[in-house]
Each structure stands twice: as structure tokens, then as C-alpha cells.
Amino acid sequence: MLTVVAFIVALGLLIAVHEYGHYRVAVACRVKVLRFSIGFGTALYRWKPRKQRPGQDTEFVIGAFPLGGYVKMLDEREGDVAPAERHRAFNTQPLKYRAAIVAAGPIANLLLAILLYAAVNWMGVEEPQPVLGSPVAGSIAAQAGLHGGERVQAAAFEGDALQPVRSFEDVRWLLTRGALDSRDVRLELARDNGAGGGEVLLPLSHLDARDADAQMLRKVGIVSPWSPPVLAEVRPGAAQRAGLQAGDVVRRIGTQAIVDGPQLFETIRAQIQDGKAVTAVWEVERNGRPLTVTVTPELVTEKGATFPRVNAAVGGPAAKVTVRYGFVEGLAKGAARTWETSALTLRMMGRMVIGQASLKNLSGPLTIADYAGKSASMGLTQYLLFLALISVSLGVLNLLPLPVLDGGHLMYYLWEAVTGRSISDAWMERLQRGGVAVLLVMMSIALFNDVARLFG
């Protein structure tokens, strides 16, 4: 139920803001707006506000099909217009007014994203401290000499000035941008005792452009923040039989030193050889005292995969820090995050078009609904961050130069500005059909990815 509500609220808000952008600028340009609709199809509810600007008699509608909306304006191409109102028709407006009205929708979404990111910055959010978890074996981070437990004090792209790092999310975001932009990243480290740890260069420019997928951060090697390698809960099974208890801190399994929770999990999963579970000596710490136990995992099979399990919840929570900014800095960082996310979105779309990134990165309504529910269950700040990300995506998508999208209409206006004449009706019809075909293909791929991701 939460997923459905969170999805409907997200759609309603983002569509309403987008269409309000069109509506507000149209009214400011003195274009007559006939209808403002959130959703398509049968009208579930309609009304006309008593107080409207002189000359406006806009009908507001909530449609049955919520995946979109529209603002219908007086237009000679869509019906008869009285001579006395011809000056208020959309198609008779100067080019700059038409362009402003069309661009206002996507711009409204981007402005909303800035405000949402800024609101999170002002409210403050609990994020993991910038302490690195153990790197993935063979990854760029592992080859650079990282072991896990390093605290990041500052970071930047190679060639840029180092900037202070306040949380692990700052590190993750910089690494994501660096991987997608093929830019090397410098990390200034400190050990847990505060001593200087020097600098580490992560050569992300060596990543192939086709590595830009859901497993990208595993190839970089920094997947999660450091968390203690503790047994949070011990249930009946291998761990309990070996004498392990909740609260035990695992220091070593066999010859493998254990740095953090994720590494502990992966090491347990690796205790299999020739189809049999491997017995290993565990060195643990209980109440500050060292202890040695012998553990033989149990083999279980799930979804066709066989792996060892000790029936214990492994890994404790990462240490948190509250990240909060003042009004001006929070707003500035909200604008910067919106710009960076927009640029990354465009680059990813470009790579998918030329085949340098997988089309599996496309997500549709099912994935969006799933993330809406998950983010809402994590609290207000996470839901606001989700809304900001989707608002950026909606704004950028609508600015693409595809007919039927706002960007396609802006492309027509660019042609008109350069040549001094509008596109012919025949060409307009061809381009519209082509645009619809492209969008249907994109939606089909996104829906296929949704089904494979959620039910595969």
C-alpha cells in the first residue's frame, strides 16, 4: 500500500509542477488557457476557480490515467478562434513567447529538484561516515592499495582542488561521476586514529565506457561504508553449534583477516570447495577477549545457487553523521547537485544511443514505483531525494529533441529562428509519427527491464 501511495504522490506532484510551469508562463504571456489536466482519459474531477486572471476561464481536471498531463491553450490549429481572441491564441504568439511557454515545463521540474535537494540540505540527513569498507577483490580500489577502514578527509577529480568530505555519500557521488565521466579521482585519507594517511589516486579513466551499469561501483571497488564485522544475531545452525554468540567480533577466518561486515559476509560465502563446505578456524573477540572457534558452514540452495551459510546476521550498522547546511550553502549545493545529475543523465542517454552503455539502464514505471515505496519507507529525507532525482530525470527527458516532447517543439522553434519559417504540416506529421515510435520503443524496453529486474 505504501508503494502505491508513494508512487501516486510522486507522479501527481511531478506532473503538476511540470504542467504548472507551462500554465504559469502561458498566463504571463497572456495566452488563453482552456484546460489544465493532471492525467489523461476520463475526468475524475473537474473545477473552475472563481478567481482567475482577467480573460482566463481555465478548467482544471484530474484524469483517470495518471501517467502524464497537459495544458490546452487556445490555438487556431486545433479549432476555430474568434477574431477578437486571435491575439490570445498560442500559435499567433511571437517565437520567444512560444519557446518560453514550452521550455517552462522542464525548467519547473529542474527548479523543483533544486528546492528538494536544498530542503534535504536544510533539514539535515543521517549519512554514513566517510570511512571506506573493504574493497572488492581485484577492483581499482584494491589495486590502488586500499584495504578498508580508511577515513576520507577530502576528495576531488584529478587536477581539481581537494574539497572536504562530510559523508560516505559524498565519496559515492564523486566516484559515480568519475566513473561515468572517465575521470580519475583523488582521495585524501586519514587513519582511524586521525594520523595522515596520504593520498590515493583511483584511475577511473581506465574504466571502459560500457562498464557504466548497475555493477559499476563494484568495478571501482568501493561499494559500501565501513561497518563492524560483528555477529548481530545468531540463530540455530552452524554458528550456534560452534559456540558463537551475538556481539562477537570476527577478526579472522582461516588465513583471511576480516576488516568489516561486507567482507565477513563475502568470506563466509566463499567457504565452499568442490561442492562441499569448508571448515575454518575463526578468530573472534568477545567482550574484549580473543577466542578461537572452528566453524563448518551449512550448504543451502536458493534460486539454483548453492552457497555456505552459518545462520547468523553478520555486520553491524555503519557509524552515522548528520549532514546539514545553512540556507545559502544548502541552496547552492542543491543547484549543483541538480546540474551534476542532469549532466550525468544526458551522458548516460547519449552512451545508450551510441551503444556504449547498456539499454538495461532504462527504467520504467514499475521500477520507479518500487523505489518510491522503498524510499518512503526509509523516511522523509530519502523520499525527498527520490523525488528530486525523478524530477531531474523528467525535466531532462522532456528537453530531448524528440518530436512530441517539449524538446522536440523547441527544436522546431530553433529551425524557425534560423530559417525564418516554420516547419511544414507534412514534415510536422512525419516527425511526430517518428517521435511517437521512438518513445514507444523506449517505453517497451524500460518496461521489459522493469519486469526482468523485479520478477526475473
Side-chain angles (χ1 to χ4, degrees), residues 229-242:
V230 64
L231 299 181
E233 179 186 358
V234 176
R235 298 180 289 272
Q240 191 177 80
R241 286 195 299 269

Side-chain angles (χ1 to χ4, degrees), residues 207-452:
L207 280 173
D208 191 290
R210 288 166 292 187
D211 289 335
D213 56 22
Q215 297 298 312
M216 179 180 63
L217 286 180
R218 290 193 62 83
K219 295 162 187 173
V220 175
I222 299 175
V223 178
S224 59
W226 184 89
S227 61
V230 64
L231 299 181
E233 179 186 358
V234 176
R235 298 180 289 272
Q240 191 177 80
R241 286 195 299 269
L244 292 169
Q245 299 178 8
D248 287 350
V249 180
V250 182
R251 299 301 184 190
R252 184 177 294 273
I253 296 180
T255 60
Q256 178 65 56
I258 303 299
V259 175
D260 66 352
Q263 186 194 21
L264 172 59
F265 177 84
E266 294 293 340
T267 302
I268 294 172
R269 284 295 180 96
Q271 300 298 299
I272 184 172
Q273 186 174 5
D274 297 329
K276 297 181 180 180
V278 176
T279 299
V281 175
W282 288 33
E283 295 179 14
V284 303
E285 185 178 303
R286 180 180 299 167
N287 299 323
R289 294 179 297 176
L291 184 68
T292 299
V293 298
T294 300
V295 181
T296 303
E298 302 168 352
L299 292 183
V300 295
T301 300
E302 293 181 0
K303 296 182 179 180
T306 301
F307 53 87
R309 186 169 65 187
V310 298
N311 271 18
V314 301
K320 302 285 187 175
V321 60
T322 300
V323 179
R324 183 181 290 111
Y325 297 94
F327 181 80
V328 175
E329 189 177 9
L331 187 61
K333 286 189 173 292
R337 186 62 175 260
T338 300
W339 171 259
E340 293 163 358
T341 305
S342 301
L344 285 182
T345 302
L346 280 174
R347 278 193 281 274
M348 276 298 295
M349 288 181 176
R351 287 182 173 182
M352 284 187 281
V353 168
I354 63 177
Q356 288 188 346
S358 174
L359 291 175
K360 293 180 180 179
N361 290 293
L362 282 176
S363 296
L366 297 181
T367 297
I368 294 173
D370 182 51
Y371 284 155
K374 289 178 178 177
S375 63
S377 68
M378 296 170 66
L380 177 61
T381 55
Q382 294 303 317
Y383 187 59
L384 292 180
L385 289 172
F386 160 79
L387 289 176
L389 178 61
I390 300 302
S391 192
V392 170
S393 299
L394 183 60
V396 171
L397 176 64
N398 272 280
L399 285 174
L400 294 179
L402 280 176
V404 311
L405 294 179
D406 295 327
H409 291 285
L410 293 175
M411 180 177 64
Y412 299 154
Y413 299 152
L414 177 61
W415 169 267
E416 185 176 341
V418 172
T419 65
R421 63 181 186 277
S422 60
I423 294 178
S424 68
D425 291 341
W427 267 106
M428 181 80 75
E429 185 179 351
R430 295 190 191 102
L431 291 171
Q432 293 291 97
R433 286 201 299 265
V436 169
V438 171
L439 281 181
L440 287 176
V441 170
M442 291 175 62
M443 291 172 62
S444 300
I445 294 173
L447 189 59
F448 176 82
N449 291 342
D450 284 357
V451 173

Side-chain angles (χ1 to χ4, degrees), residues 185-198:
V185 170
R186 285 189 300 144
L187 303 179
E188 184 179 78
L189 308 176
R191 301 300 176 187
D192 284 337
N193 60 9

